[in-house]
Amino acid sequence: MMNAALGPLDYRVPDGLDVNAGAVVVAPLGPRQVLGIVWEEERLPAERIDDSRLRPFISVCDVPPIRAELRRLIEWCANYYCAPLASVARMVIASSAALRGAATMTEYRLTGGMPERMTAKRELALAALEGEQGSLRELAEMAGVSEGVLRGLVNQGAIEPVEVDCDRPYPQARADFAVPELSPQQSEVADRLVEATASGGFAPFLLDGVTGSGKTETYCEAIASALEHGKQVLVLLPEIALTEAFLRRFEDRFGAAPVQWHSSLKATERRRAWRAIAAGTAQVVVGARSALFLPYARLGLIVVDEAHEISFKQDEGVRYNARDVAVMRARFEQIPVVLASATPALESLAMADSGVYERLVLPSRFGGAQMPDIQLIDLTEDPPERGEWIAPPLRRALFQRLERGEQSLLFLNRRGYAPLTLCRHCGYRFQCPNCTAWMVEHRLTHRLACHHCGHVVPAPRFCPECKEEDSLVACGPGVERIADEVKALWPQARTAIVTSDTLFSPARVADFVKSVEAGDIDIIVGTQLVTKGYHFPNLTLVGVIDADLGLEGGDLRASERTFQQIMQVAGRAGRGQKPGRVFIQTRMPEGEVIKTLIEGDTERFYAVETENRRRANAPPFGRFAAIIISSEDADEAAQVARLIGKSAPLIEGMRVYGPAPAPLSVLRGRHRHRLLIHATRQVDIQAAIREWLGNIVWKSSTRVAVDVDPYSFM
Ligand code: ADP
Ligand code: ZN
């Protein structure tokens, strides 16, 4: 049996029970009870304990067994990402509430009746809870009143309890609810996807279509086909913020919302989703990367939207790339998988070029909408005023849009007000006590925050070093500061700041989308969170405040990422009838990335970047892996890192760099060192690392993590 914490453990099957591989069981472990998955004996390491010395496990959970296809995926992930089998298995049975069998719970809703005595709070609650149902705690949160207020309303008969079946079925989506008329180009692509979905079998697609070309519209046809065949579909999105827009699109097309899966689900929702997915009654699941490891009964199609997004890479625990695992899952399930993107990752393009993925192209926007016109602002020639960040040409364009009642978007990938605060008098800089990082000023919340560990302090009034008052200055801009600049220029302009600080829940995203669509926002100032997915027809201007920002630090994918980000944000402009325009502010107008963006020459960008990678033997040509050593004790971390470095194997086609202190040398109070392994495709890099680390011992206070195909080099 596979136990989540310890790896494979042996148990005896209790007398009279018939259990097969895949069963989810409860077993004793010391004084505790733990969950596990029954595994095939022959697929585990050979050491077995004599049957007579084994404890029997306790019970089998009332859920369908984990299918062999998913068990093979778990093994593949553990092997490929050098992770414990049990850590991967744990992601499958993460929702322990789901495993406890059928249940009911009590929820509350308005009766329509009025309380005898009305108070302001009660009135507020009654207005807010129209049509809602949930636990008292959830309703209290929705209405912004205490649970006590609601309990009062229950006593007065204005709110009533209802018994709900935790496993009540989801509304059914209908393939033919609102079938769109596709353009000939779209039809061709859709037909191919539908055909592959209907016939089944492993079929990986790269759906490469410019922003607004109808990628979503076309893959929805494949979803329709899966629905008709009674198959389940998984749609992976890179961010929860994007689910909101997708939910609405989906409901318009299929007449019912899909099932959601992400970290902010309530425990009851999680349970209901898990069980419906395992039972096969959840038809379409839209979720974050963890939805990949759910026990679908009849998966028929996987879609990875915005497949180039680096947030598909998980950087803690099991360090997997959901895009790649999605393809593997499709292979084990023998079904099609669609990677959709307007700016595919170089890795995905290489797979298409070599014929592994089938490439489907949508080269133009739907409905005759034009791609936006992209222009450059050379900040060395046309600089903004000192202490400001919007250069005159962009300022003029913004003013024009305000005059015409059109909307604009300013993009800067930096949360908060300013990335650094320093003392003008003594030079003191505010640094995080737990990380090698500056504290970022957040003026909206009057705090300084570390974006790595979440440490926050109230905004200081004086310098802690020299005690000078009014000596602190903010250095550099974040989105809040850009929004301030806009407000100073046009006090009447209605702005919205869009970052993970402001759009932290699906409800906030929904509010934001509604107010933009209603025309209540003139200028959006946002981070990468607004670069993708949104479709605002009246948005005609995009300004990129600092195109050079992403190129700093120069990691492997810096150019690619900058190109993708700017293409994506540019893709928000001119999606409706009115043409869009994009301004890119840069100090390096001659840079390759900027030049190709201006010329709209995507082909050349990819060609040049591919050649660079080929020459450096970087992915997708060569491979990287990282070993990250961390400990609260600086000496201990350094020692283990040296030990690992000294024992590096000599293998042809593989080089080991380091150990060296990580660029982010202290994170959450842990001192970090890194080794980087660079190898040709021929080397079995995982086997090499497993054997290498398998021969070394270190204290459990030191953590050694392996990152295969790393995205972060910090
Ligand atoms: P992408 O996913 O490639 O960015 P979308 O699928 O979001 O593109 O399409 C862009 C916009 O055009 C959306 O508002 C979508 O509803 C609309 N659209 C695309 N194709 C069609 C179609 N065949 N019929 C009607 N509307 C369409
Ligand atoms: Zn920190």
Side-chain angles (χ1 to χ4, degrees), residues 71 86 91-92 95 133 145 161 163 238 276 304 306 309 312 349 357 405 422 430 496 524 530 617 667 675-676 679:
R71 298 202 301 275
M91 298 195 284
V92 174
S95 176
Q133 182 168 317
V145 299
E163 275 307 279
V304 184
E306 311 286 0
E309 276 294 321
F312 281 121
L349 279 174
Y357 297 173
L422 61 75
F430 285 82
I524 304 166
V530 276
N617 202 27
L667 176 62
L675 292 104
L676 184 66

Side-chain angles (χ1 to χ4, degrees), residues 198-441:
S199 63
F202 177 56
F205 292 97
L206 177 62
L207 176 51
D208 177 1
V210 299
T211 50
S213 57
K215 294 184 291 299
T216 314
E217 217 70 52
T218 44
Y219 74 63
C220 275
E221 293 316 291
I223 295 178
S225 163
L227 289 176
E228 278 164 0
H229 290 85
K231 297 281 185 160
Q232 292 172 291
V233 180
L234 164 62
V235 179
L236 283 182
L237 297 176
E239 269 152 24
I240 302 178
L242 289 176
T243 17
E244 193 51 40
F246 183 83
L247 293 183
R248 292 202 300 163
R249 285 273 301 263
F250 190 90
E251 207 170 340
D252 289 347
R253 169 68 182 82
F254 295 107
V259 176
Q260 297 184 60
W261 183 269
H262 51 69
S263 56
S264 54
L265 286 189
K266 296 179 283 191
T268 47
E269 292 170 329
R270 191 168 279 273
R271 181 209 134 87
R272 182 180 175 205
W274 197 98
R275 290 177 73 87
I277 287 163
T281 54
Q283 298 164 294
V284 178
V285 177
V286 52
R289 55 192 178 220
S290 60
L292 256 180
F293 293 96
L294 293 171
Y296 302 90
R298 285 186 286 280
L299 198 54
L301 171 70
I302 302 176
V303 177
V304 184
D305 207 349
E306 311 286 0
H308 62 280
E309 276 294 321
I310 55 166
S311 50
F312 281 121
K313 175 69 165 64
Q314 168 142 314
D315 271 330
E316 25 179 69
V318 181
R319 293 166 188 250
Y320 66 96
N321 186 324
R323 176 198 67 203
D324 298 340
V325 177
V327 174
M328 287 315 294
R329 176 127 203 200
R331 213 174 105 182
F332 285 119
E333 301 276 352
Q334 287 295 303
I335 57 171
V337 54
V338 181
L339 309 183
S341 173
T343 52
L346 234 57
E347 280 90 345
S348 304
L349 279 174
M351 294 297 263
D353 286 344
S354 63
V356 180
Y357 297 173
E358 184 175 335
R359 187 172 178 179
L360 303 173
V361 183
L362 290 172
S364 52
R365 281 190 162 173
F366 173 75
Q370 293 299 305
M371 289 307 281
D373 173 36
I374 303 186
Q375 287 189 11
L376 178 142
I377 299 175
D378 182 349
L379 291 176
T380 59
E381 287 192 351
D382 232 342
E385 299 285 314
R386 216 183 120 79
E388 294 182 355
W389 282 272
I390 303 173
L394 178 54
R395 195 186 275 199
R396 284 194 292 273
L398 281 166
F399 182 65
Q400 257 179 14
R401 297 307 181 289
L402 282 171
E403 294 266 279
R404 298 208 294 250
E406 294 171 13
Q407 295 166 315
S408 306
L409 163 63
L410 295 175
F411 167 63
L412 175 66
N413 208 16
R414 250 205 213 129
R415 292 158 50 205
Y417 184 84
L420 169 66
T421 306
L422 61 75
C423 172
R424 186 185 314 135
H425 188 243
C426 75
Y428 177 85
R429 296 161 171 224
F430 285 82
Q431 197 182 354
C432 174
N434 314 319
C435 307
T436 320
W438 305 124
M439 296 292 283
V440 179
E441 182 183 357

Side-chain angles (χ1 to χ4, degrees), residues 381-687:
E381 287 192 351
D382 232 342
E385 299 285 314
R386 216 183 120 79
E388 294 182 355
W389 282 272
I390 303 173
L394 178 54
R395 195 186 275 199
R396 284 194 292 273
L398 281 166
F399 182 65
Q400 257 179 14
R401 297 307 181 289
L402 282 171
E403 294 266 279
R404 298 208 294 250
E406 294 171 13
Q407 295 166 315
S408 306
L409 163 63
L410 295 175
F411 167 63
L412 175 66
N413 208 16
R414 250 205 213 129
R415 292 158 50 205
Y417 184 84
L420 169 66
T421 306
L422 61 75
C423 172
R424 186 185 314 135
H425 188 243
C426 75
Y428 177 85
R429 296 161 171 224
F430 285 82
Q431 197 182 354
C432 174
N434 314 319
C435 307
T436 320
W438 305 124
M439 296 292 283
V440 179
E441 182 183 357
H442 285 249
R443 220 164 256 195
L444 291 178
T445 50
H446 311 287
R447 296 196 294 199
L448 300 185
C450 170
H451 287 178
H452 292 285
C453 72
H455 179 73
V456 288
V457 293
R461 294 177 190 285
F462 56 88
C463 174
E465 193 71 20
C466 69
K467 316 289 183 221
E468 268 298 292
E469 277 187 47
D470 299 323
S471 70
L472 302 178
V473 281
C475 296
V479 283
E480 291 179 11
R481 197 168 194 177
I482 301 299
D484 269 9
E485 191 175 330
V486 167
K487 270 181 230 150
L489 286 167
W490 305 289
Q492 79 289 2
R494 297 158 302 172
T495 58
I497 296 174
V498 178
T499 71
S500 52
D501 301 309
T502 59
L503 294 201
F504 48 79
S505 72
R508 296 293 288 257
V509 177
D511 288 345
F512 163 69
V513 171
K514 245 185 251 150
S515 53
V516 178
E517 284 176 349
D520 294 339
I521 304 291
D522 300 309
I523 301 179
I524 304 166
V525 186
T527 59
Q528 51 83 29
L529 207 62
V530 276
T531 58
K532 54 202 164 264
Y534 297 109
H535 180 74
F536 300 131
N538 197 34
L539 199 157
T540 58
L541 175 70
V542 166
V544 178
I545 298 293
D546 185 353
D548 312 329
L549 191 62
L551 295 167
E552 288 166 12
D555 86 36
L556 165 68
R557 293 182 180 83
S559 299
E560 182 184 0
R561 203 136 66 206
T562 299
F563 182 83
Q564 289 166 336
Q565 230 164 37
I566 297 180
M567 281 296 275
Q568 289 288 343
V569 70
R572 294 317 108 203
R575 293 172 71 94
Q577 298 304 315
K578 302 172 198 160
R581 166 156 293 186
V582 180
F583 284 97
I584 302 180
Q585 302 194 145
T586 175
R587 284 194 175 68
M588 305 187 285
E590 290 304 311
E592 192 62 42
V593 177
I594 304 292
K595 259 186 4 213
T596 45
L597 280 167
I598 300 297
E599 288 158 17
D601 196 348
T602 308
E603 297 274 320
R604 196 181 83 220
F605 173 79
Y606 279 112
V608 170
E609 187 61 16
T610 302
E611 205 34 51
N612 291 343
R613 299 272 185 95
R614 192 195 307 277
R615 242 181 289 131
N617 202 27
F621 303 100
R623 305 187 54 195
F624 286 116
I627 300 177
I628 303 137
I629 300 104
S630 71
S631 167
E632 285 177 11
D633 182 317
D635 291 337
E636 193 182 293
Q639 243 170 39
V640 175
R642 269 198 304 275
L643 180 66
I644 292 177
K646 264 197 304 221
S647 354
L650 277 176
I651 293 176
E652 175 152 338
M654 178 172 125
R655 287 193 64 173
V656 177
Y657 301 90
L664 196 53
S665 66
V666 185
L667 176 62
R668 295 191 187 93
R670 299 180 74 87
H671 298 262
R672 305 167 75 242
H673 294 259
R674 298 180 65 106
L675 292 104
L676 184 66
I677 301 135
H678 186 190
T680 61
R681 290 250 148 225
Q682 286 72 45
V683 175
D684 185 345
I685 199 169
Q686 289 94 342

